[in-house]
Amino acid sequence: MGSVSRRAFAVGTLTAVSGLGLTSSAVAATGHRSDPAATDQGGRRHHRRERRGMWIASVDNRDWPTTAGAEPERQRRELVAQLDTAVRRRLDTVYFQVRPTADALWPSPHEPWSAWLTGTQGRDPGWDPLRFALDQAHRRGLRLEAWCNPYRVAIDPDPAKLHADHPARRNPGWVVRYGEGLYYNPGLPEVRRFVQKAMLDAVTRYPVDGVHWDDYFYPYPLEGEVFDDSEAYRQHGAGFPDLASWRRDNIDRLVCEFAHEVRRVKPRLPFGISPFGVWRNRESDPDGSDTKAGVQTYDDLYADTRRWIREGWVDYVVPQLYWHIGFADADYAKLAPWWARTVRGTGVDLYLGEALYKAGDPEQPEAWQDPAELSRHLTLARSLPEVRGHVFFSAKEVGEDSIGAMDRVVRDHYRRPARR
């Protein structure tokens, strides 16, 4: 997920998870915790209900709140309006971004209040947006999942702009400056432990309906920039053939450990991730998709998304298939079947991420000027039994719907209210 909008563009064996004494196979054996409807051969439950979701992004005030520091009553009205829009569009789930940049939209004991909420990082807003959002969503029969970004610290490179008590200020050795942003270093075990603790606070203290991560692990590559984790690699990279293998192992450990912790504290709570839509191009790996994408999660973000599915570390996956049908480099009609094959028989639920934000954008290709493009995506997906639903990016466009693309989806595919 980019700072304003989403991007449109493995390793030594994880034998034991640091600090947990847990093998990857042991994590997989804990199974899934989805709605009790069906099980795979391993006894893991998975959803049968259709997922109809939307993301509510708080970073950079993209969707909510529209203005940092606005009066709480105004912010509450805006949030209620978005939840009402979800109901009107016959959706059933909202993914609410509660930890956008190593900060919080709830009173976290680990990280400061978000500047996207109050205008000043660390300032107490006098109310609890996560608690309010959950109450209002559940009143409307909506599921609400807590959406977190694991490693992004700031979309500004100056650490002095962080709150004085921010963990990144207290532990400057945890932070890597990359491009115009700051990131926690995934190669440090103490960082991995901390970010898990920060995210688990929302899981343990609130009746969230799931916990959700977006597509940022190691940051998207920038030309001429180096993510300088050389010292961490020197200290912790022994036994790996190269830097890339070590980095993938770091992310594998984060996903595996967090899955174990969620299952420990709330055994039936779903944990899912919305990765960039291309694992690897076929020219990089014969098991990859028939694509020529400029970014591959395995090679560029060091995120082996296919492995997380195979190991059962995630309960669901929402690949961001933010391209139109027929796009030469990354065709939706080729990627959707690839993901369907990838989850087949695993018990991991598959929902497809949809680029509603592109519909009607004059800077996008001609296909996105057609209000029927997204509806065609859902029609295609109906031929794939593994696809359990769709999630739309994002809430602002679900409401504004500049060319009627969401109206068309509802008319063609959501004629009845979502099953609650």
Side-chain angles (χ1 to χ4, degrees):
M1 189 162 294
S3 62
V4 178
S5 64
R6 289 198 154 198
R7 306 281 183 176
F9 288 71
V11 293
T13 301
L14 188 58
T15 55
V17 178
S18 175
L20 295 176
L22 183 71
T23 65
S24 59
S25 59
V27 173
T30 63
H32 298 270
R33 305 152 329 269
S34 303
D35 290 344
T39 59
D40 65 6
Q41 292 180 348
R44 293 179 295 204
R45 294 183 178 90
H46 54 83
H47 291 286
R48 283 296 185 187
R49 294 177 180 174
E50 179 186 28
R51 177 58 43 85
R52 305 175 183 179
M54 74 178 188
W55 284 283
I56 300 179
S58 55
V59 67
D60 215 19
N61 298 114
R62 191 198 191 278
D63 294 323
W64 182 89
T66 58
T67 304
E71 288 297 317
E73 184 55 35
R74 173 184 164 186
Q75 293 183 342
R76 287 191 286 266
R77 286 197 305 268
E78 288 182 349
L79 187 51
V80 165
Q82 291 193 335
L83 298 176
D84 285 341
T85 294
V87 173
R88 178 168 55 86
R89 295 298 195 184
R90 297 177 180 165
L91 307 182
D92 69 352
T93 300
V94 293
Y95 299 88
F96 184 38
Q97 191 176 37
V98 296
R99 186 178 181 268
T101 47
D103 50 15
L105 294 184
W106 77 94
S108 169
H110 308 295
E111 294 177 310
W113 283 103
S114 177
W116 308 119
L117 179 68
T118 64
T120 301
Q121 191 173 70
R123 178 184 294 168
D124 188 337
W127 66 295
D128 184 340
L130 177 54
R131 181 76 64 187
F132 178 82
L134 279 163
D135 177 65
Q136 294 296 318
H138 290 166
R139 288 184 185 184
R140 289 161 174 77
L142 295 168
R143 300 176 67 260
L144 187 143
E145 296 203 17
W147 164 20
C148 301
N149 185 291
Y151 286 126
R152 182 172 57 202
V153 174
I155 58 174
D156 186 291
D158 184 2
K161 293 182 180 179
L162 299 172
H163 187 268
D165 198 39
H166 195 291
R169 291 280 297 272
R170 299 197 310 267
N171 302 279
W174 289 6
V175 179
V176 177
R177 175 176 174 173
Y178 185 72
E180 293 302 307
L182 300 174
Y183 299 85
Y184 281 130
N185 188 341
L188 298 177
E190 57 270 33
V191 164
R192 195 167 66 244
R193 289 191 294 268
F194 171 76
V195 298
Q196 291 180 63
K197 181 169 65 174
M199 293 184 288
L200 281 166
D201 184 65
V203 171
T204 56
R205 292 172 53 201
Y206 292 84
V208 296
D209 297 298
V211 58
H212 180 81
W213 293 356
D214 55 28
D215 54 320
Y216 275 84
F217 296 98
Y218 282 87
Y220 280 80
L222 298 172
E223 185 176 358
E225 296 281 347
V226 175
F227 189 87
D228 187 5
D229 55 358
S230 56
E231 179 59 23
Y233 182 46
R234 185 188 67 78
Q235 293 182 17
H236 303 288
F240 291 90
D242 51 40
L243 177 66
S245 298
W246 172 72
R247 285 178 172 176
R248 276 190 290 273
D249 185 75
N250 293 331
I251 304 303
D252 282 349
R253 287 175 180 271
L254 176 75
V255 175
C256 181
E257 290 173 5
F258 190 75
H260 172 72
E261 287 299 287
V262 171
R263 292 167 192 186
R264 180 181 63 82
V265 299
K266 288 190 177 179
R268 296 185 61 81
L269 191 75
F271 165 46
I273 296 175
S274 55
F276 181 80
V278 175
W279 171 68
R280 299 194 88 187
N281 296 320
R282 186 174 293 173
E283 65 181 18
S284 301
D285 190 309
D287 291 332
S289 51
D290 183 14
T291 51
K292 296 181 180 180
V295 172
Q296 304 169 86
T297 64
Y298 181 95
D299 302 271
D300 298 304
L301 307 183
Y302 308 97
D304 191 354
T305 51
R306 189 179 69 154
R307 184 182 186 194
W308 306 343
I309 293 168
R310 291 182 165 188
E311 297 283 1
W313 295 339
V314 293
D315 294 290
Y316 68 84
V317 64
V318 193
Q320 298 173 30
L321 303 192
Y322 289 176
W323 305 282
H324 60 269
I325 294 172
F327 180 56
D329 290 343
D331 188 344
Y332 186 99
K334 294 179 178 179
L335 280 163
W338 185 90
W339 283 98
R341 291 191 299 271
T342 298
V343 304
R344 189 172 298 155
T346 64
V348 173
D349 288 323
L350 172 63
Y351 317 126
L352 302 183
E354 302 288 350
L356 178 61
Y357 73 95
K358 287 187 173 182
D361 182 345
E363 296 184 2
Q364 297 297 330
E366 182 179 355
W368 289 107
Q369 313 311 314
D370 183 351
E373 174 65 24
L374 280 184
S375 181
R376 284 193 286 267
H377 291 194
L378 273 67
T379 299
L380 183 154
R382 284 190 171 177
S383 68
L384 304 169
E386 294 83 6
V387 177
R388 304 275 180 206
H390 303 261
V391 184
F392 300 93
F393 191 81
S394 62
K396 180 170 67 174
E397 287 79 13
V398 170
E400 293 176 354
D401 197 21
S402 62
I403 62 169
M406 193 68 200
D407 279 340
R408 182 66 179 265
V409 165
V410 174
R411 184 168 68 251
D412 292 350
H413 303 280
Y414 298 162
R415 296 179 184 178
R416 296 181 180 178
R419 292 175 59 193
R420 306 300 184 188

